[in-house]
Amino acid sequence: MGTSKSYEGPTGHTPLLPPWAPDPPPEPDDEKGLGGSPAPDDTPQLPEVGEDLPRWSVPKSAMTRYASTGGRDIGHVRRASSGFVSAQGGARLAAAGSISGRQAAVRMGGVFAAALTEGAAGLLRFLGAQHVGSDIESLLSALVDAIAPAGSLAEEAAARAAAAATIEDVFELYGVDEGGLEALDDLPPEVVGDVMERYTAEYVFTRLMETLASRVENGAGSAQEVCRMERDIRDYVTEQIRYELSERDVLQIDWNGPEAGRLVESVFTEAYTILEAWR
């Protein structure tokens, strides 16, 4: 599910990758397997997102119409999102092609499950003893590297951008930015499910904008308008996915076993299904 152009974050305002996260390398010219590594034999192979083929005309046209109205008709975003999933063969294939995204989601769930049960010690055990005593900014950077390593493909860049945004949001939400790692000792039980919902929604939004952001940029009247519309799309898409995702008993999951992979794939499939059903 790679693209010809990696989405670099909303134009003119805070990007998805924060300043401390290194930029992903550019897309390679040669074709590679989805997610930067050969997919298992039973993993469906998806067409390149953004190829100039008829199946992509619907979501691209819808996003162009959204921009041409100045972002006033959110119905065009629904149609663009639905077409984005349908063009990949539907929700199941879109989820199957989200290889780096699903791998990062499993690591993300494992990290915060450990933090929930062990506090700061669980997070440091994941990162390694060399990070004991590091400042929060360094820990954020190390977590992004460990959860979603930098890669050369757009799908890998999306996983990394979503991981960076999610970790930053969660650290701010639960007071880690101000209180330090000790704040992890008081995490509520719902933190793991919250993180999974946030990450999945952020990843899907990033993949959507990798494909369709240029339509907003080309159709908007000003840079300020682009920023506003991209922000509105992000809020609309991520909030809708998070609201609709059903609750799961993520606390009983063995994040080092196959059950975690199955859980994450079901969450991704459900997220894409939500978009596909929009009209």
Side-chain angles (χ1 to χ4, degrees):
M1 200 167 66
T3 73
S4 58
K5 180 180 184 295
S6 175
Y7 178 54
E8 296 175 349
T11 304
H13 56 94
T14 304
L16 289 176
L17 279 174
W20 43 259
D23 294 331
E27 293 287 333
D29 294 331
D30 57 313
E31 295 182 0
K32 295 178 67 177
L34 298 173
S37 60
D41 293 339
D42 60 350
T43 300
Q45 296 298 295
L46 306 185
E48 287 291 302
V49 174
E51 283 184 356
D52 188 16
L53 297 173
R55 60 178 167 265
W56 290 107
S57 63
V58 171
K60 289 185 174 182
S61 296
M63 196 63 85
T64 297
R65 288 193 291 273
Y66 171 75
S68 69
T69 68
R72 290 185 295 273
D73 188 352
I74 203 68
H76 292 311
V77 174
R78 290 196 297 269
R79 287 184 283 276
S81 301
S82 175
F84 166 73
V85 179
S86 297
Q88 298 172 68
R92 187 183 66 84
L93 288 179
S98 301
I99 296 173
S100 296
R102 289 186 285 113
Q103 291 172 343
V106 170
R107 298 186 192 108
M108 185 85 71
V111 167
F112 281 93
L116 176 63
T117 57
E118 304 175 46
L123 184 145
L124 290 171
R125 180 168 54 80
F126 174 81
L127 288 178
Q130 69 271 25
H131 294 285
V132 174
S134 296
D135 57 42
I136 295 300
E137 185 173 301
S138 298
L139 288 172
L140 280 168
S141 181
L143 270 177
V144 173
D145 288 339
I147 290 172
S152 60
L153 299 182
E155 200 265 324
E156 295 170 313
R160 184 172 175 82
T166 301
I167 295 169
E168 190 171 33
D169 285 349
V170 170
F171 271 30
E172 180 178 359
L173 177 65
Y174 291 105
V176 179
D177 284 354
E178 294 184 358
L181 287 185
E182 290 76 12
L184 296 176
D185 296 334
D186 298 314
L187 290 175
E190 63 269 19
V191 65
V192 181
D194 180 34
V195 167
M196 293 301 298
E197 291 174 3
R198 287 174 182 272
Y199 174 77
T200 303
E202 193 71 44
Y203 172 85
V204 172
F205 160 75
T206 305
R207 291 299 280 153
L208 173 70
M209 295 306 289
E210 281 178 343
T211 309
L212 303 178
S214 63
R215 297 300 169 120
V216 175
E217 294 167 4
N218 294 337
S222 66
Q224 290 76 15
E225 194 173 48
V226 171
C227 293
R228 194 260 305 164
M229 283 192 282
E230 289 182 345
R231 183 176 60 250
D232 289 348
I233 294 169
R234 181 186 186 276
D235 291 345
Y236 184 70
V237 171
T238 58
E239 287 177 10
Q240 185 72 17
I241 290 176
R242 291 191 62 206
Y243 177 78
E244 295 290 346
L245 281 178
S246 61
E247 295 182 359
R248 293 170 171 82
D249 187 10
V250 295
L251 297 182
Q252 304 303 317
I253 295 292
D254 176 9
W255 290 99
N256 293 314
E259 183 183 11
R262 291 192 294 268
L263 168 69
V264 166
E265 184 164 11
S266 72
V267 170
F268 271 58
T269 301
E270 187 173 347
Y272 281 116
T273 298
I274 291 166
L275 295 195
E276 189 176 21
W278 283 0
R279 291 292 184 272

